[in-house]
Amino acid sequence: MAEQRSGGDAAAEHGGRAAPGHVLVVFPGYNRPWATWINQRLEAHGVRATLQRWDPPRETSLVDSLSDLLLARGTVLLVLDDWFFQLGPRPAGEWNEVLRGFVMERAERFAAVNLTNRTLLPATAVLEPVSLWGVGEEEAEARLLSRLGIEPRRSTGRRIPASALVRYPETPPEIWGEIPRRNPRFTGRDDLLTELQERLMDAERGKAACTLLGMSGIGKTQIAAEYAHRFSPDYDVVWWVNSDDRNVQRDRFGELATELGLATGNEPGERIRAVREALRRGDPHTRWLVVFDGWDDTDGAGVLLPQGPGHVLITSRNRGWGDHTDILEVPSFDRAESTGYLMRRAPHITAPEADDVAAEFGDVPLPLVQAAAWLGESGMEVPEYLRMVRDGRLSTVDEPTAGDGFPNASLTSWSILINRLRRAQPQAIDVLSLCASFAPGRIPLGIVRAYPQAELPEDLRWMVTDLPAWNRALDTLVNYSVLSREARGPVGNVDMGPHQESVHMHRLVHDIVARLTDGEHREAHRKAVRTLLAEADPGNPMDSRHWPRYAELLPHLEPSGALASRNPRVQTAVLNCLRYCFRSAEFRAGIRLSEKIRESWSTFMDPVSPEMLELTTQESYILRAFGRFREAYDLDLAVRDRLEEATPPDELGSLRSAISIASDLRFLGQYQESERIQRECFAEAQRLLGENEFLTLVAGHNMGVVLRMLGRFKEAYEQDVASFARSESVLGTRHSHTLNTSNAVAQDLRLLGNYREALARQEANVRFHVQVLGPQHLNTLYARAQLALCRRREGGFQQDLGATMASLLEQMEQVHGRGHYTTLSSINNYANYLREHGDLDHARELIHEAEAGYRALLGPAHPVATGVFANTALVLQAAGERADALAILEGALAGLTASLGADHPWVIGCALNTTAARNFNGRVSDAAELSRETLRRARHVLGNEHPLTLSCQVALATDLRGLRETEEAGKLEEDALLTLTRTLGAQHPHTLSARQRNRPYWDFEANLG
């Protein structure tokens, strides 16, 4: 190789060369970032350049391939590194011969840049390659121009837009998030990678999402990682999300919020919403790539899948992604790729031998990687290796049937490797066996060294005391492509310490290794893993700062046997993971986990033991939060029955059970029975625990909720004010329970008709929520939804309210999905707003969705489902479908009266709407009769000055006017207007509407409490 010179010396050396009019930049696919940068730098200095990806097939001679390059005019610039000369692959002797002969004779047509500090073939000296390795961008540009004899231009006459500038390859993207280390042996797939880039680049904005689809072991992850590295100059943000486990996936995606500089808390849903919004806006970066690796469940697509100016890449086995993204099938290697990879990794084998190995494994990349690693490390001859694979007999496991297209012969191949490691590197087998006791995918192996106090079995204690042996074992497994080390941060970061280290094991490799290492130590190793998981439990799942750790531990509970453990410390860790699922709104994961815990614990644990009671409490919380109210109720009833039979009585357990049952009944619409039980619970909590215990505070808060659901707003307000004062005193102003209770006080004020006071209080509540919990926290979203209702009732914020409600609906959907009861509530409330402002088509669409959703969730007889049905009638009535509206309202009124009683405010509101429907259908006398009765009940229940009472009064005046009873109508109308003006103001929409003699209405706010 030519001696390295500085940019200035090189310029002198090549000063006599005429600048080329055209440069053909020849590069292997993996060096595309460099080639793209070189191309732009040349054109910036007035030299036309053309990119030529070059991977000559082995069957074509090098002379012919190089001759084809010379068909282009000008200079052929080769982008070199040590891997370049294994293209084909070809022996070093063939390259040296061609360089010394064909290239030497045409040296004036060739030039080269060198991207490595490794030794190149001796004959590359003829190319006089200038080194760009390890230098800055300015120096690299100077060396490139000097080598080609190009005079640098001060100005090119045109300025390249900043957005179009190609990043210097040595400069990583501004945000580089946990991308797997680049595989230096990555082979082929160039056409597929190019097609992937074209699909993403050509896609319509907001729809640039592509799924790499294929069976296990086909190389999807490797292709995605290579794409991220190869095309990194196209992006300012590249973020990798391991998606084998939903909790890890959500947590990892949410971590991008911190890197983007977004102001959020630690709650995953909050961070996810903030990230998706930032990516959608392209603020602070428009050029982003998010890779979801191993995402097989499409259910979370609506919550996680980002849209915007950037790109999304998914790897999956699930063809259902075709409904959400573009699909790119990943085939097996073609034979040339298979043999090329084998010959590069194991240089001693011939092309026919590589062909035999590739055929044995069906060109499937994962077993080929393992075979190549074995052949390359051991130096074994191919005939002997294939004989062992074909004739080998497994002594410890049965030969599996082929699954997911994976060759049967692979298990034999892995058996050979593991038997070799048992003899040569037994500590690597210890690590493998330990990994097999975790779940596949990402394994937090560093906890082995992070918690030396954990009791490890005798054969594993070396892992804590012998760091060199630990590193040797991991290096061996990485070299044999059994594990890969997880990388964090930019490429240039130093390696993590052993305490923080994680590894990744492919699910197929995990399955095979688990079979082949299953022996006398397996149970001891599983015990060690669950002990380590318990040691790694932060101990406080209520603190969102610990949620990333819980998300990391959760997938490994079941494989390690933690769910069946009788160790109290392990059981506590399991329950804490369940509490994390509830607190972080990972309800699906929580339900699955609680079912598995119950299935296991029921075999050896007393149904009324403290652990089982706590399991029931958490499971009930999660079921209710997820909308599975009847299941929660049945679960709580079963526990109550067992507690009643327990000797001695468990007063605290019975109290917790009763509080949970009261909550179940409230969600099921049985408000009277819920209130009876809740009142008893509140009194019992005060007697048993005192006023200041958290369970007493919860019971007091729940008391206010059920009073509100019963329509007893004044009692609810008094209860909530007392609960808020107690919570503020005991827990402090910034505690989430205190914030919750303050929300309840504002809601009571709004329902009592004190709109201005409610608005002022809720504005302060939202500010506190944002300060304490962050703008996207679940509780903050709920507080913001309540604020929107306050603003709608207060009447002064109508112009911007629609956009606010639409945004809240979108965020609720991202958190819970479209069918969750909190999302349905937002759909209902937004539909009411749209109807009120004349967008009847959209309102009809949304209210039908809300109605169908609540009926499916609650059943048609539930008061909330009935109330939403009544809102449907308002849309029909506004659209002129008056007969249908009347029929719905009459049915809804009868249903609500039967379930709630005639004096409930919901019934009074539905009756108000029914009077209008009767009037509009010509039944004026019937309308007046119902209006008079409704006004009487409203005054009795809500008082003379409540907005709903005054609406009933205006409605009666309208009906009386229709019956020509003008004197009474006039007095009622005048009194109502005076009261509305005094209480709400002369410009309030209710007052203006009454003055214009518009028929008043009541719309139902869906709320399950």
Side-chain angles (χ1 to χ4, degrees), residues 44-61:
H45 292 278
V47 177
R48 192 167 67 86
T50 304
L51 294 179
Q52 175 70 51
R53 196 188 82 210
W54 197 59
D55 190 359
R58 188 179 66 245
E59 57 271 17
T60 302
S61 75

Side-chain angles (χ1 to χ4, degrees), residues 368-627:
L368 282 175
V369 167
Q370 192 273 322
W374 167 266
L375 290 166
E377 293 288 332
S378 68
M380 182 180 286
E381 295 301 325
V382 168
E384 182 184 357
Y385 175 73
L386 289 178
R387 180 184 57 76
M388 293 175 66
V389 170
R390 292 166 180 164
D391 300 337
R393 293 292 179 262
L394 304 179
S395 59
T396 58
V397 296
D398 295 327
E399 182 79 12
T401 58
D404 201 15
F406 201 70
N408 277 339
S410 182
L411 188 63
T412 305
S413 174
W414 281 94
S415 179
I416 294 168
L417 170 62
I418 287 175
N419 287 334
R420 176 185 172 92
L421 289 176
R422 279 198 178 101
R423 295 190 299 270
Q425 178 71 285
Q427 289 171 322
I429 295 295
D430 291 341
V431 174
L432 266 187
S433 179
L434 192 66
C435 287
S437 297
F438 287 90
R442 181 173 176 171
I443 298 173
L445 203 56
I447 63 176
V448 176
R449 297 188 58 81
Y451 301 100
Q453 70 274 20
E455 294 184 11
L456 296 179
E458 184 72 29
D459 63 308
L460 298 184
R461 289 177 189 166
W462 66 268
M463 295 182 179
V464 177
T465 59
D466 193 343
L467 179 58
W470 167 267
N471 287 328
R472 279 196 306 273
L474 286 180
D475 288 343
T476 297
L477 294 172
V478 170
N479 289 339
Y480 277 105
S481 301
V482 182
L483 302 176
S484 60
R485 280 191 169 96
E486 294 279 312
R488 288 183 178 271
V491 176
N493 272 19
V494 296
D495 288 343
M496 297 177 297
H499 293 58
Q500 294 81 35
E501 189 159 25
S502 292
V503 298
H504 191 277
M505 180 180 274
H506 191 284
R507 63 170 67 87
L508 207 51
V509 175
H510 183 276
D511 179 58
I512 291 173
V513 167
R515 299 184 194 198
L516 296 175
T517 61
D518 191 9
E520 57 181 289
H521 297 298
R522 173 53 53 81
E523 186 47 46
H525 291 182
R526 294 178 78 223
K527 181 180 179 182
V529 170
R530 55 183 178 260
T531 301
L532 288 165
L533 295 176
E535 291 293 336
D537 173 15
N540 185 8
M542 293 186 70
D543 188 340
S544 60
R545 291 172 297 180
H546 297 314
W547 289 353
R549 171 59 90 179
Y550 282 112
E552 189 174 45
L553 300 180
L554 189 61
H556 306 290
L557 295 179
E558 188 175 16
S560 69
L563 304 186
S565 175
R566 303 192 182 207
N567 183 326
R569 179 71 185 87
V570 175
Q571 291 171 358
T572 298
V574 168
L575 285 174
N576 278 340
C577 285
L578 187 60
R579 294 183 183 102
Y580 150 76
C581 290
F582 172 63
R583 292 290 174 181
S584 64
E586 296 292 348
F587 302 136
R588 285 187 178 86
I591 289 171
R592 289 195 297 269
L593 178 60
S594 62
E595 290 171 348
K596 290 176 181 176
I597 298 171
R598 183 172 299 281
E599 180 182 353
S600 180
W601 285 7
S602 295
T603 62
F604 64 86
M605 200 176 284
D606 189 328
V608 292
S609 66
E611 294 82 7
M612 285 292 280
L613 290 178
E614 180 60 19
L615 168 62
T616 299
T617 297
Q618 296 302 322
E619 187 175 4
S620 184
Y621 284 159
I622 294 171
L623 286 169
R624 276 197 301 274
F626 197 54

Side-chain angles (χ1 to χ4, degrees), residues 750-899:
R750 176 169 54 79
L751 294 172
L752 285 167
N754 299 331
Y755 297 149
R756 289 175 186 163
E757 188 179 353
L759 175 61
R761 186 177 192 99
Q762 194 60 21
E763 285 178 334
N765 284 343
V766 168
R767 285 196 297 272
F768 264 111
H769 276 78
V770 171
Q771 291 171 9
V772 176
L773 302 175
Q776 298 294 322
H777 192 278
L778 291 177
N779 291 2
T780 306
L781 287 181
Y782 178 79
R784 289 168 57 200
Q786 290 298 310
L787 177 60
L789 292 175
C790 287
R791 286 177 169 169
R792 182 172 177 230
R793 296 306 179 198
E794 196 277 338
F797 296 84
Q798 299 302 305
Q799 185 175 359
D800 300 326
L801 194 55
T804 298
M805 297 182 83
S807 174
L808 282 168
L809 171 56
E810 180 183 356
Q811 292 172 71
M812 289 290 189
E813 181 182 359
Q814 290 176 11
V815 176
H816 295 298
R818 197 76 179 179
H820 192 271
Y821 63 90
T822 55
T823 310
L824 293 173
S825 176
S826 289
I827 292 172
N828 173 79
N829 295 335
Y830 185 39
N832 288 338
Y833 173 87
L834 292 171
R835 184 208 69 243
E836 187 175 60
H837 289 79
D839 190 349
L840 297 184
D841 289 340
H842 195 186
R844 186 193 295 257
E845 176 187 338
L846 290 179
I847 204 63
H848 281 320
E849 181 182 359
E851 176 200 334
Y854 274 119
R855 281 175 174 262
L857 186 67
L858 306 171
H862 193 287
V864 170
T866 307
V868 175
F869 192 39
N871 283 343
T872 304
L874 294 181
V875 177
L876 296 177
Q877 190 163 271
E881 302 171 36
R882 293 179 170 181
D884 291 341
L886 175 59
I888 290 173
L889 284 167
E890 293 283 10
L893 178 59
L896 288 173
T897 303
S899 60

Side-chain angles (χ1 to χ4, degrees), residues 14 17-27 38-39 42 47-52 66 68-79 103 106-113 126-128 130 144-150:
H14 298 287
R17 181 194 295 267
H22 174 262
V23 175
L24 182 69
V25 183
V26 178
F27 65 97
I38 289 169
N39 180 79
L42 293 176
V47 177
R48 192 167 67 86
T50 304
L51 294 179
Q52 175 70 51
L66 290 168
D68 289 342
L69 296 179
L70 292 176
L71 294 175
R73 292 185 303 103
T75 300
V76 175
L77 178 69
L78 302 179
V79 181
V103 175
R106 299 160 181 82
E108 75 284 353
R109 294 291 310 280
F110 288 97
V113 295
V126 67
L127 297 168
E128 300 186 35
V130 61
L144 170 68
L145 298 179
S146 173
R147 176 64 184 87
L148 294 172
I150 298 170

Side-chain angles (χ1 to χ4, degrees), residues 739-753:
L739 296 175
N740 242 1
T741 309
S742 186
N743 276 336
V745 173
Q747 191 174 358
D748 295 331
L749 287 168
R750 176 169 54 79
L751 294 172
L752 285 167

